Amino acid sequence: MIRGIRGATTVDVNEKNAIVEATTKLLKETINQNNVTPEMVASIHFTMTRDLDAVFPAEAVRLFDGWANVPLLCSSEIEVQGSLPFCIRILMSVNTTQAQDEVQHVYLEKAVTLRPDLAS
């Protein structure tokens, strides 16, 4: 089966290092909490709010050993009035035997407000 693992985090500034570090932390938490290996991953879709444009968040994955062949896509989050600024989101599609309710979605920093029911 394929399952979607969702996650989000925020940064305080629109700077390359901040975005890469926050995305790396989000990815590591998602990978660790769900026991994901690169071979399990069908793709990862990243979005960022339009106030972030210093780097592609997918650049963080390129720093992970063994992840070079994972398909990555970046896009802009749609603009909604009052939405959380400086936000990076991921949707990781993985092949797994985990049931839907066993998947651990990861929300960090100010992004815990997006889905407090799923934040750990």
Side-chain angles (χ1 to χ4, degrees):
M1 282 184 280
I2 192 161
R3 299 282 185 211
I5 305 173
R6 295 177 17 201
T9 191
T10 56
V11 293
D12 294 325
V13 292
N14 181 27
E15 293 177 358
K16 178 180 178 175
N17 287 344
I19 294 168
V20 171
E21 287 175 16
T23 304
T24 298
K25 182 177 179 182
L26 176 61
L27 288 166
K28 284 182 178 179
E29 284 292 321
T30 304
I31 290 164
N32 290 338
Q33 288 188 30
N34 291 282
N35 299 310
V36 173
T37 64
E39 295 78 23
M40 296 168 62
V41 181
S43 64
I44 307 173
H45 185 182
F46 299 84
T47 66
M48 293 196 305
T49 49
R50 293 185 190 260
D51 46 17
L52 298 176
D53 62 5
V55 67
F56 292 106
E59 189 171 309
V61 179
R62 301 296 176 221
L63 303 174
F64 290 25
D65 190 38
W67 288 72
N69 293 322
V70 173
L72 309 172
L73 177 66
C74 299
S75 60
S76 294
E77 188 69 30
I78 61 169
E79 291 188 53
V80 176
Q81 289 182 349
S83 63
L84 184 64
F86 295 102
C87 189
I88 304 159
R89 292 175 173 87
I90 63 168
L91 175 58
M92 183 183 295
S93 299
V94 299
N95 294 295
T96 182
T97 57
Q98 284 182 297
Q100 191 79 39
D101 62 356
E102 295 174 333
V103 172
Q104 298 298 307
H105 304 284
V106 178
Y107 291 85
L108 305 174
E109 306 301 335
K110 295 175 187 168
V112 297
T113 63
L114 296 173
R115 290 296 305 263
D117 58 316
L118 297 179
S120 47

